């Protein structure tokens, strides 16, 4: 309970604030994350793409060198002039072209041959992982390197080998990477915007609508017009909206009921104040009846005095019930038959009403409980039964009308049953059994009798339940256990 109060206090102390801006809200975060994720996907695609571009660029140079080598090889054994060799090397972008044919190698053209070659690549058998590594190596170290590239010419056994500077290849790869970067940015922005618009329409918009509805309802929960009108969709947010609307409606009913209870409590407090004064005066006057020398007065005067005393006690405890709970039961061993007889006398069922009160409680049966609280429990249930039988008798005069109170002890538990032959409890009363102001079985009732009875029985550690029966009527079973005996008390009595 303390933890819940601490959480509620922290929630009340924290400012609600306005709706977050674009880049602080879910929509802005979704837009940024979508763009980032698309860029990450493009990066994963970029590495094999740049590797394939590099292989294609080298393959084109190799094909061009192969075409030039065929022409040059056809002119053998004539020695090519230097200017023709330079033109061939410039057309292929190489420093040397070598033709391998029939197990021999022929240097077809050469110009400023470098003293060493930094790397060599065989295009006849290229693995993807090796191609990716070679592409990254070219981007990082290819500014001043000279490489040797060789591969077959078509499906023949002839191979072309060329030596070239890697700088031109690196420049082509950087230009390709720039184009890929611009294209990736465009794709990521367009994809993010499309996803943002779709998610904003399907999720962010409904979520904001739910938030606005909760804010509006929180400003004035008692206004019926502030209850959210849910959408008719079938997705999770529409489902949540319908539940929110149902919760708001239920909360509004609860708040209205709480307000009615508060107003009722104030009214009861005022009535209780005046009623207590009236009962005090009646108590003073009734005390004088004891001195009246009349047999009839002497017979009913003690009962009248006990009734007024009990009413005064009720008025003293009514505010305690409304503020917290019933007082702890003052338990003792008492004869249940005397308590049932007192209930019968207080009910004062007239013989002409046709209602029969049957007391089947054994005279020696004792129960461990508070006499006043058990009286209220049995009296509330029997009074409800008498009222139901009176109304039922007006509809069916020939039907038997009977209230039967029985009890038995089973071990350390006393089981009390109160049975009547009335029409039984309606369905609404069964659904709201023991609920104050909701579980009344008759029009105009409050349902407080059963609610009070249940609270008093639970205070005794017992149970109260409505028992199904095959014939019309209502049957309640009350079980009151004896108090556990302390070991020291048991040893003292033993």
């Amino acid at each position: 309970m303390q933890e819940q109060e601490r959480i509620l206090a922290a929630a009340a102390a924290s400012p609600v604030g306005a709706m977050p801006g674009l880049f602080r809200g879910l929509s802005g975060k979704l837009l940024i994350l979508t763009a980032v994720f698309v860029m990450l996907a493009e990066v994963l695609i970029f590495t094999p793409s740049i590797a394939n571009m590099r292989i294609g660029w080298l393959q084109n140079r190799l094909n061009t060198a192969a075409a030039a080598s065929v022409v040059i090889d056809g002119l053998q054994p004539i020695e090519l002039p230097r200017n023709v060799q330079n033109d061939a090397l410039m057309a292929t972008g190489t420093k040397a072209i070598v033709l391998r044919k029939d197990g021999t190698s022929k240097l077809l053209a050469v110009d400023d041959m470098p003293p060493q070659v930094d790397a060599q690549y065989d295009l006849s058998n290229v693995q993807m992982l090796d191609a990716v590594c070679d592409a990254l190596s070219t981007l990082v170290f290819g500014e001043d390197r000279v490489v040797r590239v060789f591969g077959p010419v078509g499906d023949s056994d002839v191979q072309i080998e060329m030596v070239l500077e890697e700088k031109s290849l690196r420049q082509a790869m950087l230009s390709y990477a720039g184009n890929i970067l611009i294209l990736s940015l465009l794709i990521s922005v367009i994809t993010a915007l499309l996803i943002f618009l779709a998610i904003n329409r399907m999720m962010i918009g409904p979520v904001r609508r739910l938030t606005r509805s909760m804010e509006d309802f929180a400003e004035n929960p008692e206004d019926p017009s502030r209850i959210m009108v849910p959408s008719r969709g079938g997705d999770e947010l529409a489902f949540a909206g319908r539940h929110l609307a149902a919760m708001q409606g239920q909360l509004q009913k609860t708040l209205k009921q709480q307000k009615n209870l508060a107003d009722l409590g104030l009214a009861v407090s005022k009535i209780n104040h005046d009623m207590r004064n009236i009962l005090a005066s009646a108590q003073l006057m009734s005390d004088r009846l004891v001195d009246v020398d009349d047999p009839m007065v002497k017979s009913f005067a003690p009962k009248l005095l006990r009734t007024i005393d009990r009413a005064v006690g009720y008025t003293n405890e009514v505010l305690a019930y409304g503020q917290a709970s019933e007082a702890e039961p003052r338990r003792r061993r008492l004869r249940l038959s005397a308590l049932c007889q007192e209930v019968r006398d207080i009910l004062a069922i007239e013989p002409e009403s046709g209602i029969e009160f049957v007391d089947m409680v054994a005279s020696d049966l004792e129960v461990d409980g508070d006499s006043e609280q058990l009286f209220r429990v049995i009296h509330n249930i029997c009074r409800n039964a008498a009222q139901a039988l009176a109304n039922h008798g007006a509809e069916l005069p020939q039907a038997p009308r009977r209230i039967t109170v029985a009890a038995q002890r089973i071990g350390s538990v006393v089981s009390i049953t109160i049975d009547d032959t009335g029409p039984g409890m309606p369905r609404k009363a069964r659904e709201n059994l023991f609920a104050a102001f909701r579980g009344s079985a008759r029009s105009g009732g409050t349902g407080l009798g059963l609610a009070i009875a249940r609270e008093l029985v639970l205070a005794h550690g017992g149970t109260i339940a409505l028992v199904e029966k095959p014939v019309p009527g209502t049957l309640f079973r009350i079980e009151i256990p004896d108090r556990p005996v302390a070991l020291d008390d048991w040893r003292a009595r033993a």
Side-chain angles (χ1 to χ4, degrees):
M1 183 62 69
Q2 294 179 352
E3 182 67 17
Q4 293 179 353
E5 293 177 355
R6 185 187 64 80
I7 294 174
L8 292 176
S14 60
V16 177
M19 191 74 69
L22 175 62
F23 293 102
R24 293 187 62 188
L26 290 176
S27 55
K29 294 177 181 178
L30 179 65
L31 179 64
I32 296 174
L33 287 176
T34 303
V36 171
F37 290 155
V38 172
M39 288 299 297
L40 289 177
E42 291 292 340
V43 169
L44 296 177
I45 297 174
F46 170 76
T47 49
S49 176
I50 196 71
N52 289 331
M53 177 266 169
R54 174 180 172 278
I55 294 174
W57 190 91
L58 292 175
Q59 191 66 50
N60 289 335
R61 291 293 185 275
L62 199 65
N63 292 337
T64 304
S69 65
V70 171
V71 176
I72 296 174
D73 185 56
L75 297 176
Q76 297 295 335
I78 301 174
E79 182 178 355
L80 291 177
R82 169 53 52 188
N83 59 347
V84 176
Q85 294 185 26
N86 292 337
D87 292 340
L89 294 174
M90 184 179 299
T92 57
T94 60
K95 289 184 172 295
I97 301 176
V98 178
L99 176 65
R100 293 179 180 179
K101 181 179 179 183
D102 299 331
T104 60
S105 299
K106 296 179 182 179
L107 182 61
L108 302 181
V110 64
D111 181 26
D112 296 334
M113 190 66 179
Q116 66 177 8
V117 176
D118 299 308
Q120 58 180 4
Y121 305 108
D122 183 5
L123 298 184
S124 61
N125 185 17
V126 181
Q127 302 294 327
M128 179 54 66
L129 182 60
D130 296 336
V132 171
C133 294
D134 294 340
L136 295 177
S137 177
T138 301
L139 288 174
V140 177
F141 306 108
E143 180 67 23
D144 300 319
R145 293 196 311 183
V146 176
V147 296
R148 173 173 168 262
V149 182
F150 54 92
V153 178
D155 296 332
S156 63
D157 295 334
V158 179
Q159 283 195 341
I160 294 295
E161 178 182 334
M162 58 183 183
V163 178
L164 71 158
E165 292 181 346
E166 206 172 19
K167 181 178 180 179
S168 58
L169 173 59
R170 182 173 180 273
Q171 292 295 332
M173 292 175 64
L174 290 176
S175 177
Y176 178 81
N179 295 333
I180 290 294
L181 177 62
I182 296 174
L183 182 62
S184 299
L185 288 175
L186 290 176
I187 292 176
S188 63
V189 171
I190 294 174
T191 304
L193 286 176
L194 291 176
I195 294 178
F196 166 75
L197 294 175
I199 299 298
N200 188 68
R201 181 176 179 82
M202 292 186 299
M203 293 183 60
I204 306 301
V207 168
R208 287 180 174 175
R209 183 167 176 262
L210 291 175
T211 305
R212 286 193 296 268
S213 175
M214 289 187 284
E215 291 176 348
D216 294 340
F217 185 79
E219 291 178 359
N220 188 6
E222 298 179 358
D223 187 0
S225 62
R226 295 179 181 264
I227 296 179
M228 178 181 177
V229 179
S231 61
R232 298 182 179 180
D235 56 9
E236 290 81 358
L237 289 175
F239 184 73
R242 288 192 289 271
H243 274 274
L244 176 61
M247 183 188 67
Q248 290 176 342
Q250 185 64 35
L251 179 59
Q252 195 170 88
K253 292 180 181 178
T254 303
L255 291 175
K256 184 177 180 181
Q257 187 181 45
Q258 293 296 327
K259 184 178 182 300
N260 292 338
L261 289 176
D263 295 339
L264 178 62
L266 180 60
V268 168
S269 299
K270 295 177 180 179
I271 295 173
N272 178 73
H273 180 270
D274 296 336
M275 183 65 70
R276 188 166 47 186
N277 294 333
I278 295 173
L279 288 174
S281 300
Q283 191 176 28
L284 292 175
M285 290 184 292
S286 62
D287 288 340
R288 301 177 182 179
L289 293 176
V290 180
D291 300 330
V292 176
D293 191 13
D294 186 290
M296 183 174 294
V297 173
K298 288 183 178 294
S299 65
F300 70 78
K303 298 178 181 178
L304 178 60
L305 290 175
R306 285 197 303 271
T307 302
I308 294 178
D309 290 340
R310 185 174 287 115
V312 172
Y314 289 170
T315 57
N316 290 331
E317 294 177 0
V318 66
L319 291 180
Y321 174 78
Q323 294 174 356
S325 61
E326 292 285 347
E328 288 294 325
R330 295 182 289 272
R331 304 181 69 166
R332 61 183 180 85
R333 304 285 291 191
L334 56 97
R335 291 187 180 274
L336 187 59
S337 59
L339 199 64
C340 294
Q341 182 62 38
E342 191 173 358
V343 170
R344 180 175 185 174
D345 295 339
I346 294 299
L347 287 177
I349 300 175
E350 298 294 336
E352 57 270 16
S353 66
I355 300 175
E356 181 182 4
F357 189 95
V358 180
D359 183 1
M360 300 181 63
V361 179
S363 59
D364 58 345
L365 180 62
E366 292 185 343
V367 61
D368 182 14
D370 187 312
S371 60
E372 290 298 326
Q373 292 188 0
L374 289 184
F375 171 85
R376 293 170 63 186
V377 172
I378 299 174
H379 178 260
N380 281 335
I381 298 176
C382 290
R383 183 185 57 190
N384 290 344
Q387 292 173 349
L389 288 171
N391 297 331
H392 184 55
E395 299 172 359
L396 300 173
Q398 303 301 325
R401 289 180 288 173
R402 183 183 305 110
I403 302 174
T404 304
V405 180
Q408 61 176 337
R409 173 174 287 278
I410 305 175
S412 61
V413 178
V414 174
S415 177
I416 307 170
T417 58
I418 303 174
D419 188 9
D420 67 65
T421 58
M425 300 190 71
R427 182 177 60 85
K428 182 180 179 181
R430 288 174 177 266
E431 293 175 354
N432 300 282
L433 198 63
F434 305 120
F437 303 102
R438 297 173 61 188
S440 177
R442 60 185 176 87
S443 177
T446 61
L448 279 173
L450 289 178
I452 294 173
R454 179 177 181 272
E455 184 174 355
L456 295 176
V457 170
L458 292 179
H460 282 75
T463 60
I464 179 172
L466 177 66
V467 181
E468 296 292 339
K469 50 187 294 189
V471 296
T474 304
L475 173 61
F476 280 96
R477 176 180 290 117
I478 305 166
E479 295 181 343
I480 304 296
D482 294 342
R483 286 172 295 174
V485 180
L487 184 60
D488 293 339
D489 296 341
W490 181 81
R491 286 175 176 173
R493 284 187 291 179

